[in-house]
Amino acid sequence: MKNTIVGLLVSLMLLSGNLGAKVPVTQSQKLRLTDNWEFLRQDVGNIWELVRPMKVGQPEGSPIWTKVTLPHCFNAEDAVDPDVNYYQGPGWYKTQLTIDNPYKNGRILLEFEGAGQKTDVYIYMTKVAGHTGGYDSWNVDITDAVNTFLSSKEAERFGGRVPLSIRCDNTRDAEMIPSDLSDFNLYGGIYRYLNLVYLPEVSIASLKIEPVLDQKLKQATLKINSFFYNPSDVRKATVEWRVKDSQGNVYYPAGRMKSLLSANSALPTSR
């Protein structure tokens, strides 16, 4: 039987605060927000117009919103109409979220798979994010804004649901890429899926795995560098890992670390 010595070097690094890069999430953590949306293809005076109390038939009910499902593009028809110029300007989407986070003190994110071309995101009247770019996936942590709203008196008016408003804008902008002089339309709207994501209080932001074999191919070192998404600045947590082969069999026994701070260990084993 051939023996192979494997060394496992694990480096766990803590990231406090929000990440500049997109936080990775798995499909099981996503809830697609497709239904119960309203859309307005024009601008409003301010965010209060979207959340203020109103009754049907009163002037506050104008302008008239239309019901849509996501994904949605406000150039779905005029962009292919040869007789008119396609609409370039702001458009608003609004809905109400029911929050049911399975994780204690967990984080709540919105993951945009694509929205054109500039996007602003509001929880109730709080702007939580702004993004420029219509062709990349990005996300925003809405946890603090959601918790603040749910602890306010206004939450009663919404029955415990959380008002979410999103402004998309494909107005001409000479400073943006791609240029408005391009030979294709710059669509506006939430034209790809929008997902509600639940994460634990501390989650993995990125993982780098570097295997190194010796010249005789009998010893190997597996170096793992992990960055954690930890906006709550948690200082102690249990991290567990397993190394599996291509068939899913556990090759390296489970390992644990109690601290996320500057934890390094070399754990040799043989098989």
Side-chain angles (χ1 to χ4, degrees):
M1 179 181 294
K2 180 180 178 181
N3 290 330
T4 302
I5 305 298
V6 179
L8 182 64
L9 180 62
V10 181
S11 177
L12 307 180
M13 282 157 277
L14 187 72
L15 291 186
S16 298
N18 291 325
L19 289 178
K22 181 176 181 292
V23 180
V25 295
T26 63
Q27 193 64 38
S28 62
Q29 297 168 306
K30 298 181 182 181
L31 175 64
R32 279 184 168 166
L33 302 176
T34 56
D35 300 323
N36 303 315
W37 287 91
E38 293 182 85
F39 170 69
L40 177 68
R41 200 175 81 163
Q42 67 177 65
D43 213 347
V44 297
N46 55 38
I47 186 62
W48 173 242
E49 294 188 25
L50 279 70
V51 296
R52 63 187 177 184
M54 66 179 67
K55 295 181 180 179
V56 178
Q58 290 189 343
E60 291 88 346
S62 299
I64 304 300
W65 293 70
T66 58
K67 297 184 181 301
V68 297
T69 58
L70 299 187
H72 176 268
C73 174
F74 45 77
N75 300 115
E77 297 181 3
D78 58 12
V80 292
D81 189 336
D83 298 322
V84 299
N85 291 326
Y86 76 99
Y87 176 77
Q88 290 179 285
W92 283 89
Y93 299 87
K94 66 178 180 178
T95 190
Q96 295 178 17
L97 302 177
T98 299
I99 302 298
D100 185 19
N101 197 330
Y103 302 108
K104 181 181 179 180
N105 299 323
R107 309 301 299 181
I108 309 166
L109 277 66
L110 292 174
E111 181 189 47
F112 290 79
E113 297 187 17
Q117 297 287 317
K118 298 177 182 178
T119 307
D120 295 322
V121 184
Y122 295 83
I123 296 296
Y124 188 49
M125 294 183 61
T126 301
K127 182 178 178 179
V128 293
H131 181 80
T132 298
Y135 308 99
D136 57 332
S137 178
W138 54 281
N139 57 27
V140 53
D141 191 325
I142 62 173
T143 309
D144 295 340
V146 167
N147 291 341
T148 298
F149 171 76
L150 290 177
S151 63
S152 69
K153 295 181 179 180
E154 287 298 312
E156 296 183 13
R157 179 161 63 90
F158 288 88
R161 295 182 297 274
V162 179
L164 168 64
S165 305
I166 300 172
R167 183 184 189 269
C168 293
D169 190 357
N170 67 336
T171 300
R172 293 179 63 85
D173 186 344
E175 301 300 322
M176 279 191 61
I177 297 176
S179 167
D180 284 295
L181 297 178
S182 57
D183 60 352
F184 59 89
N185 297 326
L186 304 183
Y187 299 119
I190 309 174
Y191 71 96
R192 293 178 184 166
Y193 285 112
L194 171 60
N195 305 306
L196 180 65
V197 179
Y198 296 123
L199 293 177
E201 188 175 15
V202 180
S203 59
I204 293 178
S206 64
L207 191 66
K208 179 182 179 182
I209 302 176
E210 183 180 355
V212 180
L213 295 173
D214 70 350
Q215 293 182 349
K216 296 182 180 180
L217 303 181
K218 291 186 177 181
Q219 293 186 352
T221 298
L222 188 62
K223 184 178 180 182
I224 303 175
N225 292 318
S226 301
F227 288 86
F228 288 85
Y229 181 54
N230 183 28
S232 299
D233 199 23
V234 174
R235 289 297 171 175
K236 289 185 179 181
T238 300
V239 181
E240 182 176 319
W241 67 87
R242 292 181 177 88
V243 178
K244 297 182 179 181
D245 61 20
S246 58
Q247 283 74 43
N249 301 313
V250 177
Y251 179 81
Y252 193 89
R256 287 194 174 196
M257 287 184 178
K258 292 291 186 181
S259 175
L260 295 179
L261 290 176
S262 187
N264 295 282
S265 63
L267 305 174
T269 187
S270 62
R271 181 178 178 182

